[in-house]
Amino acid sequence: MLKNRNQEFRKELQESLYIHRTLPLHREKSLEAELAAKKVIARKSIWCGEEQKYDPVAQQEGKVSVEGEVIRLSADLTADHWPEGAPADGDYTNYGTAAFVFRLPEENWEGYHRLRFKVFPCVETGTVLHLNVRVTNVGRIPVPDVYSREGATVFDLRNREWNDCIWEFPSMGRDRITELTFYVYLSGQAYDWNDKLMYDIKDICLEQVEYPEPEKGWECRRDSIVLSTAGYFPAGRKEAVANVAAERFAVHNAEDDSVVLEAEIQQIENERGRFQVLDFSSLTKEGVYYLQAGAVKSAVFPIAEDICEEAVWKLLNFVYHLRCGMPVAGKHGSCHLDSLAEHNGVKLSFAGGWHDAGDLSQQTAQTGEMVHALCEAAEKHRNHKILHSRLLEEARWGLDFVLRTRFGDGFRATSAGCTRFTACKAGDFDDVAVRVFDHSYENFLFAGIEAYAAYAFREEDASLGSGSLKAAKEDFAFAEKKFAETGVEPAHMYEHTYNSGLSQYYAAIVWAAANLYLACREEYYADRAAEYAAKLLACQETGEAGLGLVGFFYRDESHRSIVHFNHQSREHQFVQALVLLCQVLPEHSECPAWKAAIRRYADYQKAIIGNTAPFCMLPAGVHRMDEAEDKELFPYMHLLVDYNAEYPHYKEQLLQGKKLDDMHVLKNFPVWFSFRGNSAILLSGGIAAAQAGLFLDDEEARQIGREQLYWMWGKNPFGQSLQYGVGSRYCAQYGVYVGECTGEVPVGIETYGDEDVPYFPHTNNATYKEVWIGAACRMLWLMNAYI
């Protein structure tokens, strides 16, 4: 339980009716609150009152007028046609864009660190509002970049009040700025109210500040102590990283400021830089503390066994607000009721489950995986009646979607690309096209999810559990038949299972069959699980490469291509499947081999974790230096990217890794191009470490899992919690159509260009800052291991 540590949160939780209403954002603890309080050294006006140097020029669907000291941008939120150049089916399309632009004479902004302005949005029926800003630079570093990840940011706005908007960009190219554009995506409303937006914007200026936020590198900012602001578990290492002018530090009890521990600051130097490590691992007493080194104080944090509980509740808040197909208070009304899937003349509604990300897309696989994570969390919280019931309630919402999007013959509705609210009237022009496929990999995945859900609902809803088990058996049979016919089959490019290799299929089969055996105890599934476990083990590195590193997996038995992920990850599936198999078949003759494979993988993680010390972020893993030559695999790993254009960058990114031998390097971050952000990558690896550590009783592996949570909660070079509303110093994220939500998790910290060091600009853009249910799901899975 949360005990008495945070009475304010307990009160908010009760007032939310245990999250059937929105939890408050507490922006006062955000990074943006610190930005507003920074000392401004110099200011330059762009458009302020009497100092208008440039005229705003309307673009696209927007209308612009000057009303005294403000620029007014207005437009209709909906339309009866798609914008020029949009796909005919409206895939990933909204109703247009309202915009205005300032044309600038190649201004040099390098003497300024940020843009600041005020905006007053007025939308009569508006709930979630946003405003985008983009700059164009034609100097040494062109902006926007080829994928439009640099040079554009978005602000989450409060309706009918002045919003103070600050965009810090100290590392962005800005020596020859030619355009400054303000724009809003016209994305409709959940109700057909035909409303208009009207935004008043004023006081547009550049500012120079005393200390801009660091955006790149391993070293944290001057005079700072970075740590897990959400707290630490009593067990395991407890460390912070600092950049201070002191030789000793103290841990203080936050209630009375008393000193409970003093120690020397450890000085560490490695290829990443110079670091100061504050080790307080010997402190195991539960309480609320802060660290002090010289004049520098850290954020207040708890040490407690239950530090995950508040984070779970807040993550549940985020998931609830991603619900599709129903009214969500403070977000939207019933939505996407006209998202229809069709197969053999039968149509079904694709409204339901949870939206995929900061856009309004939907992926059945993403919803399904969250169902499993919620059910698993409920199992862990069986002694916490309220949380257990609420987790199963949310899981039921997703499970309903997973079950009813089946056509009953192996085909199911799988995904829809959407960045708009529709009129919810089937047959008009804005209906959402839903993809329908018969994928063996996804049906294996769903079979495992449905079987586990049957187990989780065995007491609370036996009829639902029975129906879910029936669907699991059918889906497993469909998948077996299709897999026997086609083997590995390419999914649609926008499906998140697109890059699955043969070993991923093996892992999914083992996991699904083991869950089915857990739910029904039929020997057929035990046999299938053991059969494919042997195939999975044949894909593991056991020493043949001569690296001195064993345990990672290849895409198939040939050992030609190593399993990698970027942006999303299912790295955990290999260990997740083998651990479950050992648990359900502990007397099987092959169990020692399965256990040995788990041990190899845990040893691999222990061998590579030091490459990011002292932060202990799990690296992206071992890569072959000839990967870039695999033109056939490339499009499955890197979406919407031209192979020939990126080939030299692929080679350079490999060269940035740590050389292991003439053929292999160790990369901290993935090879990636357009889609960047490593939350899912490190969390997925953390799940594997935590599950292996628990199963093997390996404290070092368990600690690796903890460290991934600590990274997410602020023990990273930027000192930012990556889960909004959890801990402190969390940053604005790319929520856009769902708005900022307490508990949200972004795609994650990225890299700049071809480098292999952390990069996390204050720019709020996709994909790295985009909130994503896949990252939240993996965070919940990882927290489940420590409950």
Side-chain angles (χ1 to χ4, degrees), residues 95 106 166 205 291 334 338 573 630 638 671 684 747 757 782:
Y95 302 105
E106 296 193 5
I166 299 172
C205 65
L291 308 184
S334 296
D338 49 358
Q573 274 191 335
D630 195 341
H638 306 284
V671 172
S684 188
V747 173
V757 298
L782 181 51

Side-chain angles (χ1 to χ4, degrees), residues 510 514 529 533 537 575-588 590-599 695-696:
V510 172
L537 264 58
V575 169
Q576 185 184 54
L578 292 171
V579 166
L580 180 61
L581 186 57
C582 289
Q583 290 171 337
V584 299
L585 298 176
E587 303 302 321
H588 196 284
E590 292 300 310
C591 191
W594 305 333
K595 187 174 182 179
I598 298 168
R599 167 63 66 191
F695 178 70
L696 300 170

Side-chain angles (χ1 to χ4, degrees), residues 1 44 65 78 86 91 98-99 111 211 237 255 276 295 393 406 621 630 649 673 688 737 747 750 778:
M1 296 291 288
K44 176 183 177 180
S65 61
T78 58
D91 192 45
Y211 298 114
R237 292 195 312 277
E255 293 184 358
Q276 296 169 305
E393 177 192 19
R406 303 169 69 247
D630 195 341
H649 296 286
F673 305 102
Y737 305 114
V747 173
E750 57 162 342
R778 282 144 185 78

Side-chain angles (χ1 to χ4, degrees), residues 362-402:
Q362 174 63 286
Q363 296 258 343
T364 312
Q366 299 278 70
T367 285
E369 289 180 319
M370 181 55 81
V371 168
H372 177 267
L374 290 165
C375 286
E376 185 180 70
E379 283 293 302
K380 296 281 189 170
H381 286 287
R382 277 199 167 269
N383 293 327
H384 187 332
K385 298 296 185 184
I386 295 175
L387 182 52
H388 173 259
S389 296
R390 183 62 189 86
L391 287 163
L392 280 186
E393 177 192 19
E394 199 63 29
R396 184 194 303 271
W397 174 262
L399 181 60
D400 170 79
F401 180 76
V402 169

Side-chain angles (χ1 to χ4, degrees), residues 37 55 116 275 366 399 469 681 707 712 774 786:
D55 293 325
R116 189 171 192 171
F275 305 96
Q366 299 278 70
L399 181 60
L469 180 57
I681 288 102
E707 291 290 353
M712 294 295 293
Y786 298 98

